[in-house]
Structures are given as structure tokens and as C-alpha cells.
Amino acid sequence: MNQSNFTQTALMLGAMTALLALIGYILAGREGLFITAIFIFAFMSFGRGASKTWMLRAIHAVKLEAGDAPVIHAMTEELARRAELPRSPDIYVLEANSMLGFSVGNGEEDSAIVLSGALLQGLAPREIASVLAHEISHIAAGDLTVMGLADLITRLTRTLSMLGLVLVIFNIPIAATGGAYLPWGALVLLVLAPLLSLLLQMGLSRVREFEADAAAVDISGDPEALALALAKLEVRQNDVLRHVYLPHAPGTVPSLLRSHPITQQRVMRILQQVPKMAPLPAHLTDEHHGYPSDDVVAGEWPLGIPVKWLLRWWR
């Protein structure tokens, strides 16, 4: 992680933590600070592994074993080796019409990458490798922990702010009769704190995405593939958004309200970067590698996933 990104990450996490601590102090003084710290410690110690399992079950993701998709696993193992991970992440497939790729888990020793069927169908092999490199870079940089902590802080801030507003509402009748004083400054903070925490979390996410892009280029050795993959993901996302009623056109969301940087900015940075490693071996990214026969296409995959998801990776 370069010094600038490290500083931004530390400042944003520090600001989110300070905001949460202030809300806890407003509600219950020092005891509120202590209880909030216990919640964070308990989640970071025991809850993250469970949340990974629950998430994978909730979205009905199916694990790909090495024998079912050997090329994808070979790509993942090579990229994990280049990123110096202690183990290769598990690969899961998700049934979704959107092109999705994300990582979950409890850190380097217990991580998984989830890819949607639409992504496997819509991207070329070298582009899939670049997506895997991006997610592996998140894992290697500790982003599962960083973003998990940021998400927890945002949720706790929202919950405590809501609790504080409920208490204020119950005290309005007493304040109206002169029996209590309403701290208007604290009330404004309770209203704004969830939004401020969410904005900080999205800003943190954008910083980590830039960092993962740079690391992905280094370990994949193919900046053009990552740029092409991002462009295809952007087009597919905009096509989906056009079918949903929105008050703005796709792609016009202000950068402050985005969890990911603007794609054009990412592509420009990626194409300007010189990778530190050579591209993956051709036998892993060959366009014509692994296509099944017509007889295989007509069948069904043993684990119940449509065969069309893995046309290029069956063999």
C-alpha cells in the first residue's frame, strides 16, 4: 500500500470510529464508549467467519471444486502465489443476471471469491483472470478486515443514532412542559451521523478500489485485460439500470455517492501503469482452451449449476 492510500485509509477509519464513539458517549457517557468497544471487539474476533458462511448461504452461492473448473482454479492459484497469499481463495458461483465479482471471508487464511454466471459468460479468459487478480489483491491488502470494520462501524452508528432519536422523541412531551432540556446540537448530530459515516465508508471503498486495481495489474501483468473487464462491467451495469426508474441517467451519480471510483478514472490509471510481473501463461488465458463438446453442453453439471455458466472451463 502506498503512503498516500495508507494515510487516507487511516484518516477515514479514524473519523468513522470517532463519530461512533461520540454517538456512544452522547447516549450513555463512558459506559456507551465501553459497550461500543465491546461490540466491535466481539465482531472482529468471532463474527467475521460466521458472516462469510451466512452470506454465501444467503445468496445460494455454490462452491467450484478444482475438478469442476480446473482452469479457473489454476488461474487463482497462480495469482495467489504471485500475491504471496498463504492459500488460494475458494471459488464460488452465483446465479445472477448482473456481472458480479467480490471477495468475502475472515482474512488471507479463510477467503473466498464469488463470481456470477453472467460474468463467466460475458468476459474473456484473460479478463476473468484480471477480475480474480483484483479480488485477490483486496484479500492480500487486508481489505476484508478493513471494509468489514468500516461496515460494522456504519451499522453501529446507524443503530445507536436511531436509538438516540427514539429516546429524544419520547422526551419531547417532557421538554414541552419545561421538565427537560432538549440538546439540539446532539439531536442534529444523531440525524446526520449515519449519513456522514456512510459517506466516509464509500470514500474508503474508493481508495481501496484504486489500490486493488494497481496491485491487480502488477500480479496479472495485463493492464489491458483489467481495463476491458471494467469497461464491460460498466456497460452491463448501465444496461441493467436503464430498466429501472431512476431520477438520473446511468453513470451520472456524483463521485461522493459512489462506492467505486468512476470507471473512466480507473481505466486511465490502469493503462498508465507498467506491471511488475509478466502476463499469466498462455495455457491459462487462451481463448480456445477448455470448450466442451456438444454432448457435454446438452447435459447438466453434477452440482446443479447450468452447464452454460462454465462452457469455457469444463475441461
Side-chain angles (χ1 to χ4, degrees):
M1 185 187 303
N2 64 50
Q3 185 62 38
S4 175
N5 286 346
F6 176 81
T7 301
Q8 292 182 62
T9 298
L11 288 175
M12 290 181 185
L13 270 179
M16 294 176 68
T17 304
L19 183 61
L20 174 60
L22 182 57
I23 297 298
Y25 184 80
I26 289 174
L27 291 180
R30 293 182 180 179
E31 291 80 3
L33 293 176
F34 181 70
I35 294 173
T36 300
I38 289 178
F39 269 111
I40 293 177
F41 175 79
F43 175 81
M44 297 305 295
S45 299
F46 310 108
R48 290 185 295 145
S51 64
K52 169 202 166 185
T53 303
W54 293 339
M55 175 182 287
L56 292 173
R57 288 179 179 175
I59 64 178
H60 304 292
V62 180
K63 186 176 181 180
L64 284 182
E65 302 295 346
D68 300 317
V71 179
I72 288 183
H73 277 272
M75 283 181 180
T76 306
E77 289 172 0
E78 173 61 17
L79 291 168
R81 183 191 67 79
R82 294 184 177 197
E84 299 181 351
L85 291 182
R87 64 178 291 275
S88 178
D90 298 324
I91 303 296
Y92 286 77
V93 174
L94 170 68
E95 183 176 1
N97 293 326
S98 301
M99 287 188 178
L100 299 174
F102 56 91
S103 49
V104 296
N106 198 27
E108 295 181 353
E109 295 286 353
D110 181 28
S111 59
I113 297 174
V114 181
L115 304 174
S116 69
L119 184 143
L120 291 175
Q121 285 183 278
L123 298 185
R126 60 193 285 251
E127 295 164 359
I128 293 175
S130 71
V131 172
L132 290 170
H134 179 88
E135 297 307 325
I136 286 173
S137 297
H138 275 306
I139 296 169
D143 289 344
L144 296 181
T145 299
V146 171
M147 296 311 301
L149 177 59
D151 184 64
L152 173 65
I153 291 174
T154 297
R155 292 175 184 272
L156 282 176
T157 301
R158 185 189 310 125
T159 300
L160 293 180
S161 295
M162 183 64 66
L163 176 60
L165 290 174
V166 169
L167 294 175
V168 169
I169 291 174
F170 279 119
N171 280 277
I172 287 178
I174 301 175
T177 60
Y181 167 72
L182 280 181
W184 293 105
L187 179 60
V188 171
L189 181 60
L190 290 174
V191 172
L192 295 180
L195 176 60
L196 293 175
S197 185
L198 180 60
L199 291 176
L200 287 168
Q201 182 184 353
M202 289 192 289
L204 176 61
S205 176
R206 293 192 296 271
V207 171
R208 305 312 308 142
E209 289 298 324
F210 278 132
E211 188 75 15
D213 285 344
V217 169
D218 284 337
I219 65 174
S220 69
D222 193 352
E224 291 81 7
L226 182 56
L228 287 171
L230 290 175
K232 289 183 179 181
L233 290 170
E234 178 80 0
V235 170
R236 184 62 175 265
Q237 180 186 37
N238 287 346
D239 287 342
V240 171
L241 290 177
R242 287 191 183 97
H243 292 84
V244 181
Y245 177 78
L246 291 173
H248 53 76
T252 61
V253 180
S255 59
L256 187 65
L257 302 179
R258 297 172 65 105
S259 62
H260 285 58
I262 297 173
T263 300
Q264 290 83 347
Q265 294 178 352
R266 299 175 69 182
V267 169
M268 287 179 58
R269 290 193 181 198
I270 288 167
L271 294 180
Q272 291 172 357
Q273 182 177 343
V274 178
K276 296 180 179 179
M277 300 183 185
L280 293 180
H283 71 276
L284 295 180
T285 57
D286 185 358
E287 287 283 351
H288 303 289
H289 178 80
Y291 283 92
S293 65
D294 293 337
D295 293 337
V296 175
V297 175
E300 288 292 333
W301 199 42
L303 294 183
I305 296 180
V307 172
K308 63 181 182 180
W309 285 12
L310 297 176
L311 288 181
R312 296 176 179 173
W313 315 106
W314 185 271
R315 295 177 177 176

